[in-house]
Amino acid sequence: MKRSVFKPVPGAVGLVLCLAVPGLAQIEKTSVGAINATIGGEPYAGDTLDVPSEGTATADFQSFGPVTMISVQAHDPQDESIMHNVLSIEISLMGEGASATLMEDPTVWWWPEGMSEPFYFSEDSGVVPDVKIDELSLEDGAAAIKGSFSAQICRKESMFAEADMNECKPIEGTFDTALRKVNTDF
């Protein structure tokens, strides 16, 4: 598969950092969808969130001409911290609708203990993640995505560390969420 020159900085990272600020962690958030998965044989259920007062969401998209980048990030509502047990799927598409073509390998991230701890990432696992889109709408007021995914994720001590190929986990699941268009007016 041809890799794109567009390699988005994970949208998940930006919103996770925003939610990490203690004052912002208390702002109103609304569940707009979910990711349900199995990570290394263990069940995972997380909510995608809309933060109306900030004009952001943890499931969003942005388009650059015919290219659309989508980030779906879920937070475990049962965890003690919104920053723990965060799961993210990121894809870049060429075209529109559920038949759009993946431009590059999708990525899957999982932060079991938050951003300052080791995390799991699909990119260096040696297995290309499989993402299937069943439904996709990017219409104003009705943007949403529904599909399934599977990947191998491997532990990384930090963003720039090499993946620990001895500590990898299979992950598979489904996602179904509303999407918020990222405001690209600068």
Side-chain angles (χ1 to χ4, degrees):
M1 176 175 284
K2 184 177 179 184
R3 294 191 68 82
S4 166
V5 295
F6 293 105
K7 185 66 177 172
V9 173
V13 174
L15 191 55
V16 166
L17 292 174
C18 175
L19 292 173
V21 177
L24 292 178
Q26 302 306 316
I27 61 177
E28 185 176 337
K29 300 167 281 295
T30 304
S31 176
V32 294
I35 295 178
N36 292 296
T38 303
I39 304 172
E42 296 295 319
Y44 175 89
D47 292 340
T48 58
L49 306 171
D50 188 57
V51 186
S53 65
E54 299 298 313
T56 62
T58 65
D60 60 28
F61 74 96
Q62 55 186 321
S63 297
F64 302 96
V67 177
T68 301
M69 294 182 292
I70 299 173
S71 175
V72 177
Q73 176 183 290
H75 298 262
D76 182 348
Q78 304 302 313
D79 204 293
E80 63 190 39
S81 169
I82 194 167
M83 300 308 300
H84 292 179
N85 212 9
V86 176
L87 179 60
S88 179
I89 304 161
E90 297 183 3
I91 58 175
S92 295
L93 303 172
M94 176 70 75
E96 297 181 17
S99 63
T101 305
L102 286 171
M103 287 187 53
E104 59 185 45
D105 297 343
T107 55
V108 178
W109 306 71
W110 178 47
W111 292 278
E113 300 299 323
M115 293 289 293
S116 63
E117 301 295 328
F119 64 97
Y120 291 78
F121 187 44
S122 64
E123 190 167 276
D124 298 326
S125 73
V127 177
V128 176
D130 183 32
V131 175
K132 294 192 178 9
I133 299 171
D134 298 325
E135 297 175 21
L136 175 63
S137 171
L138 302 177
E139 292 181 32
D140 286 341
I145 189 168
K146 181 177 184 178
S148 59
F149 69 99
S150 64
Q152 176 93 348
I153 53 176
C154 298
R155 185 173 185 208
K156 291 184 74 159
E157 287 295 320
S158 68
M159 195 65 74
F160 300 105
E162 289 192 30
D164 181 348
M165 300 305 287
N166 294 316
E167 194 168 335
C168 297
K169 297 176 182 286
I171 181 172
E172 64 180 355
T174 60
F175 51 90
D176 185 357
T177 185
L179 295 170
R180 179 184 279 265
K181 184 175 185 177
V182 174
N183 182 0
T184 55
D185 297 334
F186 300 107

